[in-house]
Structure formats: C-alpha cells, structure tokens
Amino acid sequence: MTEALLSVRGLSKRFGGVQALNGVSLDLEAGEVLALAGDNGAGKSTLIKAISGVHRHDEGEIRLAGEAVAFDTPQDARARGIETIYQDLALADNLSIGANIFLGREPKRRLFGLLPVLDRTHMAEAARTTMARLDFHVDRLDAPVSTFSGGQRQAVAIGRAIYWNARILIMDEPTAALGVPEQRKVLALVRSLKAQGKGVIFISHNLGDIFAVADRIVVLRRGVKAGERRTAETDADEVVRLMVGG
Amino acid sequence: MPMSSISSIPSPATNGGRAILLRIAELRAWLFLLILVVFFEAWARIVYGTSFILNPYNLQSIGIFAVAPLLLALGQTFVIISAGIDLSVGFTMGLAAVVAAHAANLGPDIGLGPVPAMLLGLAAGIAVAFVPGLVNGWLIAHLKVPPFIGTLGMYGVARGTAFLIAGGTTVPVANAWFSTIGNGRIAGIPTVVLITIIAALAMHYLLSQTRFGQHTYAIGANRNAALRAGIDVRRHAIRLYLLSAVCAGLAGSLYAARFAAGAAQAGEPLLLDSIAAVVIGGASLFGGSGTIGGTIAGALVIAVIQYGLVFIDVEPFWQFVAVGVVIIISVLVDQSQRRLARGRQDD
C-alpha cells in the first residue's frame, strides 16, 4: 500500500484542563477532498492548527507521505507544502494579485544592469498563469485585489498557495462570508484543486457544501473522532447524528 | 443554474468610468497645484502685468519654501502608508539644527578646517536624529505604544532637549562654508533644492521599487497578512520611524546651513505642513496608500500657497486658512474615493 499524502495518528492536545483533541486519526490522499465537520468546540480548529504548525500537539504523529514531521511554526508547515487559507484570507487589499502572491519574497531584476528594482513583469506573468490554473482569467493584472469579489479574492489566496507548490490546502470555512453565487465559485475552485492532485481539507458548517465537494467526511465531537464516512455512502441526517451524538 | 466557473465574472477593473474617477482622485494634488498656479498667473498678469510662473526668482523662492516641509513629508509618507504617524518630526528637525550648528562651531576647536567642520555639522544633525527615530520605533514596535502617543511623547522630549542644548536661544554658526551650502547655487539651482530633489528621487525609488516599499504598503493595508507572509513587521516599523527621523535630521542640517544658525523651533510649524503635504498628495491616514509623487505635489501646493499669498500682497495669515481648506478638500476627496473603491462587485 502506498503512503497517504497526509496521515494523522492518535493526535491529542490539551489546553490546561481541557482535552481539546483526543486520539484523532485521519488520512488524506492526493486529489482528495476531506471535509471536517463538527459543532463549535468539537476540535476542528485545534486539529488543523496542529497540522499547520500553529500548535504543537501533545501526543500522536503527523506523517507526510510516510515521513514523520514536527512543525514549530506555520512557516515550517508551509515549507513542507501545507498551506492554510483562513477566512480573512490574509491579503494586502491595496496590492495586485502578483504582489500578494510574492509578498515577502518579491523577485527583483536589475535596471540597466545596475539598480535593483521589483520585477513587476515577472509577478504579473506568474499571477496570470497561476490564476489561469484556477480558471480565473484577469484582464487587469495591476488592479488591487480590493476591487475583486469575495470569491475572486478566495481564488487569489488559493493561487498564492499553489504558486508556492502547496500540496495540501486547509480551507477554514471558505464559503461562510459569501453570497450564494460566490459560494458556488469557491466550490468550483475546490474541485479544480482536486483535479490538480492537491489534497484539500475543507472545514464547513454547511452540509450542502460538504456534500457538494467532499469525497469523505470526518466528524469530530468533543475532541474525538465521532465517525468517518464516504460522502457517497451517507446522508445529511447521519452526519448530523454523528455531530450531535446519540 | 449549473455550477458557474470563477471566470464568468468580469473583472471589475474593466469598469471604465470608476477607474478614471479613481485615477483623477489620485492625481488630485497635481490638479490643486495647477489650479493655484493658474490663479496666481492670472493675478500676476492682470494686476502686475508680469508672469508669476515664468519668473525664475519666483520659482526659486517656491523651491526653497518647499524644501523643509517636503523633506519632513518624505519620511512621513512612509510612516503614514504603514498606518502610523510621526508627530515628532518638527522638533527632531529643531534638535538636528541645533546640534548641527554646535558641531560646525566645534570643528575648529578640534583642529578641523572650515570644510570638514561644515561636513561635521551636517553629519551631526543627521546622526542625532537616529536617537528619536530609534526610540520611536522601539516604543511602537516592541512596547506596542500607539504611534500617535509614542511620537507625541518624543515631540516633547525632542523639543525640550533641543532648547536645552541651544541654551534657550538660537545658535549662530561661524562657518562661511555652512552658509555656502545653505544659500549657494549649482547651475543656477539652489543647493538645498538640489539636495531635496535627490532625496525625493531616492525615496521614490525606495517606496515604489524595493521590497521595503512594497512591505510598507502591505503592512499599512493588512498587518496580519504581512506577518503571515513572513515579513518582520517590528523591524520594519523601527526602520520606518528611523527613516522619518533621518529625513527630519537632514531638514534640520539644511535649516542651520541656510540661516547660519540652529534654532530649536526650526521645524515647529512644519509638522502640520508635512502631514498636510502627505494627505494632499493622496495618502490615506488609515494607511495602505500614498506615493512620493503625490507628496511632492502636496508640498508644492503648500509652498505655492505660502509664496503666492506673499506675492499678491495678502496678509500672510491667510495662508493658514488656504492650506487648511485644501487639507479638508483633500480628505473629502479621499473619503469619496474610498467609497468608490469599497463599492467592489459582490455579485
């Protein structure tokens, strides 16, 4: 059997007297969308923060393609191809798509072979090709991202991740703040990531969204895994029962 | 309806009318400048029968009027784009002027010739500005003091220190070379104006073409985004306030050179002028926007108002009214610009 892209085994995390996560295991394959469901306080955030390097877990193991890893910071996780897209997207609204993709690691060229300047052409080209991979065709590459809609901004945040070769994308409630047409576009983005062989962990309160894009659903309840189902073999009623218990 | 592709939404940037309006708002400082010049030109032709703008003496005077406010505004532009503010620049400039004057006078005592003594004076004015700059940056970046409060404290500290070092009076400079820098000309252009032009070009390069500039915009728009992108936001803040202080230090040194004297109150009226130049130039006090080109235009607007009102023989106090009105108009334009920009397509 080949190793899973991401494999989490027996992960536990305690904050003071609260057992936030208790022996949770899951696998994520390349080209798979795994939904993480659960009520507030079920441990979804703690789990993704452990995977993305924000929190160090107390017990258990995280393996990337079979190799045990330990992240001290989100930068460590990002360097290994794990990117988290938070709800606020972390975009600089006043900058272009290219400038956002390269924020903190801007390419430079030399003007007249002498003076180093930002290579805006390279940034714009990278923005164009990256966004095209997400089926998002931009005509004004110098426009600040504040001029784009919610779904398009989501695409920019995802584009930044895939430009830097993210293999695993963790999306935290990506549709929560959007109108219905924009939600559809984000779901289309998730499918496009799947088609490109990325592993996606998709956190959502919206069972409709989960059933629309996920291959599998892991349900958490009070820090433990309450169940795991293939989307094709379950329905919303069963998932809700797993979430609330009983 | 089938699942739509993300590409089905037109990019709102193609919305032509709004894009043009935004562009005009960005260029508002140059528009103000044009209106002012046309006004004074018309006045000069009708009342005096001469030209306002084609007179080299007037141009030189406007240039010299613009030197100190523009130098302060250059550093202030970076600070304001990062969503900060530096209220200490005026007295940092005064402190620099006093220290520059003392240092130039000290030169002969330590066996320096007049030219090295002059250079020592100029360098000392810039060097002393590092102190308020670094303290501002440290307070704001590491102790999380709000920029308004931290630099207001430094306003007082620099003010008191400058008067103490000056002994409560102005410090005359006994160095002829000093005055040569301050009042001399190179190719017919006042030396202080040339130095300011070079500083402005360097700042334009720094803001528009380097990572430092790019990170300044990003921090001003979304500090969290900058942090997550791995930018050292605290180190950046220290560098910003240092940059602002060094600009003020240069302004102080040039002040001492121009008047052959250092005065603690040298930059006192210039704090508001520097902020006004940045705001008239299109920067937002909320951070994230602004350009050096805009700030240059903003400083020229102020200089043209100040000189122009003297030129047409109006009571000089009107300049405060005029500059105030221009600031208010600028902020109103900025607000409507924001409303336009916020009106993004949400489908």
Side-chain angles (χ1 to χ4, degrees):
Chain A
M1 181 193 145
T2 58
E3 297 281 357
L5 181 59
L6 170 74
S7 175
V8 173
R9 287 288 165 268
L11 217 59
S12 293
K13 175 74 186 175
R14 177 180 282 279
F15 295 106
V18 182
Q19 186 78 40
L21 219 51
N22 195 353
V24 173
S25 299
L26 59 80
D27 286 306
L28 176 70
E29 303 290 342
E32 186 186 38
V33 180
L34 174 69
L36 213 49
D39 207 350
N40 293 331
K44 303 188 301 280
S45 293
T46 311
L47 178 57
I48 63 159
K49 281 180 175 163
I51 296 172
S52 62
V54 177
H55 293 323
R56 193 70 183 265
H57 50 276
D58 302 328
E59 285 163 44
E61 193 178 48
I62 300 173
R63 301 176 84 87
L64 277 181
E67 184 195 345
V69 289
F71 304 130
D72 290 320
T73 65
Q75 278 75 25
D76 290 348
R78 196 176 294 152
R80 298 300 303 268
I82 300 177
E83 190 85 33
T84 313
I85 317 268
Y86 288 100
Q87 270 182 58
D88 68 1
L89 301 180
L91 296 175
D93 271 345
N94 53 347
L95 301 181
S96 66
I97 297 176
N100 269 287
I101 288 177
F102 287 96
L103 188 58
R105 30 194 171 181
E106 292 83 356
K108 293 199 274 193
R109 65 188 172 87
R110 288 192 176 270
L111 197 64
F112 312 122
L114 197 71
L115 195 64
V117 295
L118 293 176
D119 193 344
R120 292 184 199 280
T121 321
H122 178 71
M123 291 197 268
E125 254 332 290
R128 185 196 305 281
T129 54
T130 306
M131 299 317 285
R133 278 169 70 186
L134 297 172
D135 197 19
F136 174 15
H137 303 278
V138 205
D139 38 12
R140 278 273 316 273
L141 284 161
D142 57 343
V145 297
S146 64
T147 58
F148 296 118
S149 70
Q152 290 172 319
R153 288 152 48 78
Q154 190 89 228
V156 174
I158 292 169
R160 174 170 58 188
I162 63 172
Y163 179 84
W164 296 104
N165 296 318
R167 291 180 298 163
I168 297 169
L169 283 102
I170 302 172
M171 301 174 73
D172 188 7
E173 298 275 1
T175 56
L178 303 177
V180 173
E182 289 284 300
Q183 289 179 6
R184 289 216 182 92
K185 278 154 205 147
V186 170
L187 298 181
L189 277 174
V190 174
R191 286 195 197 90
S192 141
L193 290 171
K194 174 182 159 70
Q196 290 171 40
K198 309 292 184 194
V200 179
I201 298 179
F202 182 90
I203 297 172
S204 182
H205 273 95
N206 185 330
L207 289 179
D209 288 351
I210 288 179
F211 277 92
V213 294
D215 300 300
R216 269 187 308 131
I217 306 171
V218 165
V219 182
L220 295 181
R221 177 157 42 92
R222 293 184 196 158
V224 298
K225 187 156 94 175
E228 178 173 344
R229 299 286 184 275
R230 298 207 66 80
T231 314
E233 296 162 3
T234 185
D235 56 28
D237 287 345
E238 190 188 12
V239 173
V240 172
R241 274 200 304 279
L242 288 170
M243 282 167 67
V244 299
Chain B
M1 183 186 149
M3 290 298 177
S4 48
S5 138
I6 197 93
S7 63
S8 62
I9 330 165
S11 160
T14 53
N15 185 341
R18 206 169 77 194
I20 291 166
L21 273 175
L22 284 171
R23 192 90 193 108
I24 290 173
E26 275 171 25
L27 293 173
R28 63 179 180 258
W30 295 103
L31 213 63
F32 279 135
L33 190 58
L34 187 69
I35 292 167
L36 285 167
V37 168
V38 167
F39 170 77
F40 288 118
E41 183 68 24
W43 188 290
R45 301 241 174 211
I46 293 164
V47 180
Y48 301 143
T50 62
S51 173
F52 173 70
I53 202 66
L54 297 178
N55 182 337
Y57 177 79
N58 290 347
L59 285 180
Q60 275 185 15
S61 303
I62 291 167
I64 289 170
F65 264 70
V67 162
L70 178 55
L71 283 173
L72 298 189
L74 289 174
Q76 190 78 269
T77 305
F78 283 78
V79 172
I80 286 178
I81 290 173
S82 81
I85 191 134
D86 188 348
L87 300 180
S88 66
V89 287
F91 284 108
T92 297
M93 175 181 163
L95 178 66
V98 170
V99 169
H102 272 311
N105 288 339
L106 189 71
D109 299 344
I110 56 174
L112 291 179
V115 173
M118 177 265 291
L119 293 174
L120 175 71
L122 294 178
I126 294 167
V128 75
F130 275 66
V131 179
L134 286 172
V135 173
N136 279 338
W138 175 70
L139 287 172
I140 291 157
H142 288 275
L143 301 185
K144 309 284 172 223
V145 178
F148 192 94
I149 302 300
T151 59
L152 186 62
M154 185 52 65
Y155 168 104
V157 172
R159 178 186 202 173
T161 309
F163 276 109
L164 286 170
I165 293 175
T169 166
T170 55
V171 182
V173 180
N175 181 324
W177 278 95
F178 221 57
S179 193
T180 306
I181 290 288
N183 299 294
R185 283 180 168 66
I186 295 172
I189 302 170
T191 314
V192 290
V193 173
L194 274 178
I195 292 172
T196 307
I197 290 170
I198 292 166
L201 287 175
M203 293 298 160
H204 173 70
Y205 166 75
L206 188 62
L207 184 59
S208 67
Q209 296 299 337
T210 69
R211 287 182 183 159
F212 183 84
Q214 196 78 352
H215 297 173
T216 305
Y217 283 108
I219 289 168
N222 189 341
R223 193 173 180 277
N224 263 330
L227 273 171
R228 277 202 213 140
I231 295 169
D232 189 336
V233 172
R234 288 202 285 195
R235 191 179 66 190
H236 197 91
I238 291 175
R239 290 178 177 179
L240 285 171
Y241 288 91
L242 190 57
L243 181 69
S244 176
V246 166
C247 287
L250 177 61
S253 283
L254 294 185
Y255 176 96
R258 192 174 146 219
F259 295 102
Q265 71 277 16
E268 188 168 10
L270 297 179
L271 165 63
L272 283 179
D273 283 354
S274 79
I275 296 171
V278 177
V279 171
I280 294 169
S284 161
L285 288 173
F286 297 101
S289 67
T291 59
I292 293 297
T295 294
I296 293 170
L300 287 174
V301 163
I302 294 170
V304 167
I305 289 174
Q306 288 176 342
Y307 182 76
L309 292 181
V310 175
F311 177 76
I312 66 174
D313 216 7
V314 172
E315 284 229 54
F317 305 113
W318 279 106
Q319 64 172 268
F320 301 118
V321 177
V323 172
V325 168
V326 175
I327 292 173
I328 291 169
I329 295 173
S330 282
V331 171
L332 289 175
V333 174
D334 179 55
Q335 282 180 343
S336 47
Q337 185 181 4
R338 279 174 174 279
R339 270 196 293 279
L340 273 172
R342 247 202 317 275
R344 76 165 75 111
Q345 246 176 323
D346 278 326
D347 243 0

